Amino acid sequence: MSDLHLVGLSIRNGSKIYPGTQALKNVDFDLRMGAVNVLVGENGAGKSTLMKVISGVEQLNGGTIELDGKVVAFADRTEAARHGVGIVFQELNLFPNLTVTENIFVGHEKTFGGIHIDSVAQTATARALMKRLEQDIDPDMPLGNLRIGQQQIVEIAKALAENARILILDEPTSALSATEVDVLFRVIGDLKRQGVGIVYISHRLEELIRIGDYITVLRDGVITGSRSMEGVDIPWIVANMIGTASKEFPKTVEHTLGDEVFRVENVCLPRPAGGYSVDHMSLSVRAGEIVGLYGLMGAGRSELLECIMAQHPNSSGKLFIGGAPVREKSVSGRIKRGLALIPEDRKRDGLVQIMTIRENLTLSSLKDFTRIFHLSLKEEAGKAAEFVKRLAIKIASLEHPVSSLSGGNQQKVVIGKALMTQPRILLMDEPSRGIDIGAKAEIFRTMRRLAGDGLGILFVTSDLDEVLALSDRILVMANGRLTGSFPAGANAADVVSAATPNLNRVDTL
Amino acid sequence: MTSIDTARGAKTETGESKTSALLVLLHMRTFVALILVFTFFAIAAPNFLTGGNMLIISKHVALNALLAIGMTFVIIAGGIDLSVGSIVGLCAMVAGYLVLYGIDLGFLGIGYSIQFNTIEICLMVLVVGVGVGWINGLLITKLNVAPFIATLGTLYVARGAALLFSDGRTFPNLGGNPDYGSDTFRLIGSGSFLGFPLSVWIMIVVALLAAYLAARTPLGRHIYAVGGNERGAALSGVNVDRTKLFVYMFSGFCAALVGLIISSQLQASHPATGETFELNAIAAAVLGGTSMSGGRGRIGGTIVGAFVIGILADGLIMMGVSSFWQTVIKGLVIIAAVVVDQVQQKLQAKVILQQQVN
């Protein structure tokens, strides 16, 4: 089958290093024309980085990219586009204030003499694209008025308008309805016949098997499997995604679990467009227990934690700590009751980047060092130093800005800040995101130790490996609902299928 | 304030000496600028160094410094307060009205008016200033109006209110009345203690309080956190709304003090008092190292910044430089200050990175 499809673009020995982590390690990747090249791997495995490199958004630190046998180096996105590489990002890169047509042509407008926009031709092309994508979307409609799924279609139309020879689709179906997925697959079939090389990234494994011609599996920046799709099944993909040799996760230390320390009852978060982001979620955590909350992106896990942490005033439901109801409506009130959150986005939510390490560590517990209104800097520094030692945070000085630390050490500062409030329940949203393997293992050891000390931990992850190895109990969420509950040592395939309950729907199409 | 200084000083000792020396110099840049400006005028302008002149300059600086202290907190918290100049005007008019007329209770039909002594007048004026700041804070926190727009609105409203108070006229002869105990009103502007004008003492006390608040209280820390990362601060349990409310109310408080001082100094209040004062206050804060994007700034820096601007203005006048050129020079100094600040930030990040590697 490989002979049928020529290799259009290939990467040899590609490496990409970000501060603190290596996202790609000596990757060899072949992109075949006239075929769907499926790319799969867990969050943080390097899929998106690889695609950013191909589309010129990021540049390799080592290795080469060859296009039609010639070595190329894309300085930016526009240069890649000139070479016929188009990309549809996972996050929509659209302008809600502009019309559908304007969005499709932004950056490469059809013009007379480079000045006057030929809006008639643009609208006509946009209308033709919408027809091709079988969408009833008015090209003059402001994009902001469209549903998310329709916006995603516009994003795809944008790539098609550039006549891409290579088209990268990063999780294009995550926001699409079943019929829209069907249309997209028909369009992909068309493009294939026209010789376009398609890269398709998705977490929905059965979807991949259905549409893919070739498959490449990434794990921790390394390609662990690459072959034609023939004969590939889900167990093969999962095995390559996770690997046989488990990562250095600390084994579950045997300790007895205490009584229930935290309970969530019927938490709901309505979506502005109707329906629920969090749909009647209930769960409980015992003292000393680590509960892993697994699910795909957009399953409502982060939203649930945000509801618990009083971030959504329009959410409903009840919380109980040690059996007593939580009525506090403010973050500080809930922190006082013993809740603490490690947010998913460290930079945006977890830290004040321009403040020092000391100031960040103590931000939630300043009143412990305050008499009436006087803040004792000496006590504060002492406590900060104690936590730096306890969590083995590598720093040169407490007075450096927290932004000077690596991802793993920044995460430890966030954890330190939460622990300083002496919580009874620790909520952790993707605690290992964006940090390297060594630091990950250390974070996990810390979580184990904290659980051993009697802390209840509820952590959210998209990393199957992580949830399987670390949890005393595994809960799975999909579409805002609880779709599975497994004991430690559950079967990986069961957990995955609980996380994608709409697979069957796609299958029966 | 002092503790932050020593912490920063200790940090630079460990680094490479050359960049560190430069960094210390850059860090002290406003102070260096102050010394340069001072030395220049001491040589170039006759009579600059006389005691009388120093007193005049310090009286001028005190007003701008007071506004700039309030402004510094607002900017550190990630906002801006354009209304301070108008609050000065409004408060001056309220003070003048109270001194002259008290509160007329004629509308109750008893043909009687209440007169107040100096302390009472001061308290009422301060309440007005803090009240306008409170409105600013409410607009920004509860109604989600952008600080620039909210305070631009109150800039107009407060100025208009000041004009309405007297129908645009000046309240003259604010000598007060010994019978009511308001004859001491003029002392706010003209009194002195240990040889320094009272207004300078007010500035010193407010500056010390503000510096203490910034460095040694949870509220001060919260102001920095809110300006550095509002969402992060909220998730850490910081009451963001209350923190913001405070900084605008404090800014209004400082503006009310200035309104009192000016009307007392002139023994008259004019509704145009304080026009464009907000720009000088912002300039002093920025010159002193306050970052317009929030999270960074110190009261000490702001005071030094206010002195640089004040000495520059008065010194140039003494040298006979045209006021047109003065404006140009002031603008250039502000721009230079921000450029140097950027250089310092970059260099500092580099030094810290080096220390991490070592």
Side-chain angles (χ1 to χ4, degrees):
Chain A
M1 186 161 176
S2 333
D3 305 333
L4 286 172
H5 304 110
L6 294 172
V7 173
L9 181 143
S10 59
I11 293 181
R12 287 288 167 268
N13 222 9
S15 291
K16 175 71 195 173
I17 299 163
Y18 290 113
T21 54
Q22 184 165 7
L24 294 175
K25 294 169 195 157
N26 307 322
V27 166
D28 290 333
F29 176 71
D30 290 323
L31 195 161
R32 293 174 189 277
M33 304 305 284
V36 175
N37 304 262
V38 149
L39 197 57
V40 65
E42 295 183 294
N43 284 342
K47 295 171 306 209
S48 291
T49 308
L50 185 59
M51 290 310 109
K52 281 179 183 165
V53 164
I54 293 177
S55 58
V57 178
E58 302 265 7
Q59 284 71 43
L60 286 176
N61 296 116
T64 54
I65 305 177
E66 285 179 25
L67 187 65
D68 302 323
K70 283 189 283 286
V71 174
V72 289
F74 300 140
D76 54 30
R77 175 87 186 76
T78 357
E79 199 178 338
R82 253 206 319 278
H83 284 85
V85 180
I87 182 162
V88 176
F89 288 104
Q90 190 174 353
E91 300 94 19
L92 297 171
N93 289 282
L94 298 169
F95 308 91
N97 53 331
L98 302 181
T99 67
V100 171
T101 307
E102 284 164 342
N103 266 287
I104 290 175
F105 290 99
V106 73
H108 52 98
E109 289 83 0
K110 285 181 190 245
T111 57
F112 296 120
I115 296 170
H116 182 74
I117 291 182
D118 182 358
S119 49
V120 176
Q122 284 199 159
T123 310
T125 314
R127 188 161 283 127
L129 281 167
M130 287 304 130
K131 203 169 171 195
R132 181 169 166 200
L133 289 164
E134 301 174 35
Q135 294 299 310
D136 186 21
I137 298 174
D138 178 5
D140 294 326
M141 176 104 85
L143 183 101
N145 295 1
L146 302 182
R147 285 185 297 108
I148 293 289
Q150 291 176 313
Q151 293 189 15
Q152 191 122 31
I153 297 276
V154 172
E155 181 89 62
I156 291 164
K158 195 170 140 191
L160 292 179
E162 288 180 78
N163 289 318
R165 283 202 306 130
I166 291 171
L167 181 62
I168 301 164
L169 302 169
D170 193 351
E171 301 231 24
T173 55
S174 55
L176 297 190
S177 72
T179 38
E180 286 164 341
V181 169
D182 235 23
V183 171
L184 177 66
F185 282 9
R186 274 204 293 279
V187 172
I188 288 176
D190 274 355
L191 292 172
K192 255 168 68 172
R193 275 189 291 283
Q194 291 161 22
V196 175
I198 292 161
V199 180
Y200 191 94
I201 301 176
S202 179
H203 278 293
R204 300 180 177 175
L205 303 183
E206 301 186 7
E207 195 176 289
L208 296 180
I209 290 175
R210 183 178 153 206
I211 186 113
D213 298 308
Y214 299 90
I215 183 165
T216 303
V217 188
L218 268 168
R219 169 158 41 98
D220 295 330
V222 179
I223 289 181
T224 52
S226 185
R227 58 182 284 188
S228 127
M229 195 53 105
E230 260 170 274
V232 168
D233 54 10
I234 289 187
W236 182 88
I237 298 177
V238 171
N240 278 285
M241 269 168 70
I242 299 178
T244 41
S246 186
K247 290 174 200 163
E248 291 169 48
F249 288 133
K251 287 282 161 267
T252 310
V253 185
E254 283 305 322
H255 64 270
T256 47
L257 301 181
D259 296 331
E260 176 192 285
V261 64
F262 182 50
R263 189 164 83 246
V264 174
E265 274 182 12
N266 271 322
V267 168
C268 281
L269 177 63
R271 228 193 281 269
Y276 292 100
S277 304
V278 178
D279 194 353
H280 299 87
M281 273 294 293
S282 299
L283 58 83
S284 73
V285 183
R286 294 167 67 181
E289 188 182 32
I290 298 184
V291 176
L293 190 54
Y294 179 77
L296 298 180
M297 206 176 274
R301 302 160 303 163
S302 298
E303 288 80 0
L304 173 66
L305 294 196
E306 284 167 7
C307 289
I308 295 173
M309 220 50 203
Q311 289 302 293
H312 296 288
N314 54 341
S315 63
S316 59
K318 290 198 181 86
L319 307 177
F320 299 88
I321 293 172
V326 177
R327 293 202 184 84
E328 284 82 355
K329 290 267 175 255
S330 68
V331 182
S332 58
R334 296 206 175 168
I335 288 176
K336 224 172 281 167
R337 288 294 301 275
L339 284 164
L341 172 69
I342 315 287
E344 175 181 8
D345 190 333
R346 250 189 323 275
K347 279 210 163 66
R348 200 179 57 135
D349 303 335
L351 296 167
V352 183
Q353 291 286 339
I354 63 171
M355 288 178 104
T356 65
I357 297 161
R358 165 179 56 89
E359 288 166 330
N360 269 288
L361 271 169
T362 57
L363 188 54
S364 289
S365 42
L366 283 174
K367 55 177 188 333
D368 294 354
F369 323 109
T370 307
R371 261 171 299 277
I372 313 171
F373 54 82
H374 180 77
L375 190 63
S376 165
L377 295 182
K378 206 173 142 196
E379 271 180 55
E380 186 200 6
K383 192 84 173 193
E386 180 195 323
F387 271 75
V388 164
K389 215 167 147 192
R390 213 172 115 191
L391 293 165
I393 310 176
K394 286 185 213 76
I395 60 169
S397 159
L398 272 174
E399 302 306 321
H400 282 174
V402 77
S403 55
S404 64
L405 299 179
S406 69
N409 280 309
Q410 286 195 12
Q411 183 69 317
K412 285 185 188 173
V413 171
V414 182
I415 294 176
K417 178 175 73 177
L419 291 181
M420 235 183 241
T421 65
Q422 296 170 316
R424 297 177 69 187
I425 305 100
L426 197 53
L427 310 165
M428 306 176 93
D429 198 350
E430 302 276 7
S432 68
R433 172 157 295 174
I435 56 184
D436 61 50
I437 297 242
K440 262 186 202 182
E442 231 175 299
I443 299 277
F444 295 152
R445 264 197 297 279
T446 308
M447 286 167 70
R448 270 282 147 223
R449 207 182 58 233
L450 293 171
D453 294 344
L455 197 64
I457 297 179
L458 176 64
F459 83 107
V460 159
T461 180
S462 310
D463 186 324
L464 195 52
D465 217 359
E466 208 171 287
V467 79
L468 291 173
L470 210 55
S471 316
D472 295 316
R473 195 149 52 85
I474 298 165
L475 300 177
V476 181
M477 265 183 93
N479 299 333
R481 249 165 305 185
L482 190 66
T483 53
S485 175
F486 304 90
N491 184 340
D494 294 346
V495 175
V496 170
S497 61
T500 51
N502 48 0
L503 275 181
N504 299 332
R505 189 198 64 195
V506 175
D507 253 354
T508 51
L509 282 170
Chain B
M1 183 170 82
T2 48
S3 66
I4 293 174
D5 277 338
T6 49
R8 297 249 159 91
K11 175 161 56 184
T12 47
E13 274 166 25
T14 51
E16 253 63 64
S17 55
K18 215 174 179 181
T19 37
S20 290
L22 184 59
L23 203 55
V24 169
L25 206 64
L26 284 174
H27 188 67
M28 309 278 289
R29 66 186 176 278
T30 326
F31 205 67
V32 173
L34 179 63
I35 292 168
L36 287 179
V37 171
F38 191 86
T39 318
F40 174 77
F41 287 120
I43 297 166
N47 299 329
F48 179 81
L49 268 183
T50 59
N53 186 47
M54 287 295 114
L55 281 184
I56 291 171
I57 290 181
S58 64
K59 268 170 106 166
H60 289 166
V61 169
L63 296 179
N64 187 26
L66 273 172
L67 292 179
I69 290 166
M71 187 68 75
T72 302
F73 277 145
V74 173
I75 297 178
I76 291 174
I80 189 83
D81 188 351
L82 299 178
S83 66
V84 289
S86 295
I87 299 178
V88 170
L90 178 63
C91 287
M93 292 314 284
V94 171
Y97 185 89
L98 289 175
V99 170
L100 282 186
Y101 309 114
I103 291 180
D104 188 3
L105 293 178
F107 62 91
L108 291 178
I110 40 179
Y112 178 73
S113 70
I114 310 177
Q115 300 295 328
F116 303 97
N117 67 29
T118 305
I119 303 279
E120 288 162 347
I121 290 170
C122 288
L123 285 176
M124 288 161 76
V125 170
L126 290 175
V127 166
V128 170
V130 171
V132 178
W134 180 69
I135 292 169
N136 280 333
L138 283 189
L139 287 171
I140 289 159
T141 55
K142 302 295 175 212
L143 300 177
N144 253 328
V145 183
F148 192 97
I149 304 299
T151 58
L152 183 66
T154 43
L155 176 152
Y156 285 119
V157 173
R159 180 65 65 198
L163 287 160
L164 285 170
F165 242 93
S166 64
D167 226 3
R169 283 176 291 114
T170 303
F171 288 136
N173 307 322
L174 302 182
N177 187 334
D179 296 343
Y180 306 133
S182 60
D183 58 326
T184 46
F185 182 73
R186 60 183 176 78
L187 287 179
I188 304 168
S190 61
S192 66
F193 178 66
L194 297 178
F196 282 102
L198 216 51
S199 57
V200 174
W201 284 111
I202 294 175
M203 177 203 73
I204 291 172
V205 170
V206 172
L208 288 176
L209 274 175
Y212 172 80
L213 185 97
R216 291 301 193 101
T217 66
L219 177 60
R221 190 68 62 76
H222 290 173
I223 293 171
Y224 283 91
V226 166
N229 179 355
E230 191 174 321
R231 225 182 113 78
L235 280 169
S236 300
V238 173
N239 191 328
V240 173
D241 283 2
R242 209 164 58 194
T243 309
K244 284 186 177 174
L245 216 50
F246 170 80
V247 297
Y248 288 100
M249 286 166 74
F250 184 72
S251 181
F253 174 81
C254 291
L257 281 177
V258 173
L260 279 172
I261 294 169
I262 290 181
S263 55
S264 163
Q265 262 172 5
L266 302 175
Q267 300 222 6
S269 9
H270 186 265
T273 307
E275 265 172 3
T276 72
F277 276 22
E278 61 277 354
L279 300 181
N280 280 327
I282 295 169
V286 169
L287 205 58
T290 309
S291 158
M292 287 302 286
S293 48
R296 204 160 50 84
R298 286 178 305 136
I299 299 300
T302 296
I303 301 291
V304 176
F307 268 95
V308 171
I309 288 179
I311 290 177
L312 205 61
D314 287 8
L316 289 172
I317 291 173
M318 293 179 73
M319 281 180 66
V321 177
S322 93
S323 69
F324 306 147
W325 273 111
Q326 287 175 37
T327 315
V328 172
I329 291 169
K330 196 158 86 180
L332 291 177
V333 167
I334 292 165
I335 293 170
V338 178
V339 171
V340 174
D341 183 60
Q342 291 299 322
V343 173
Q344 187 214 343
Q345 294 300 316
K346 277 203 188 112
L347 204 65
Q348 195 159 345
K350 215 165 87 186
V351 168
I352 287 171
L353 209 67
Q354 257 166 19
Q355 286 178 35
Q356 301 268 317
V357 173
N358 288 345

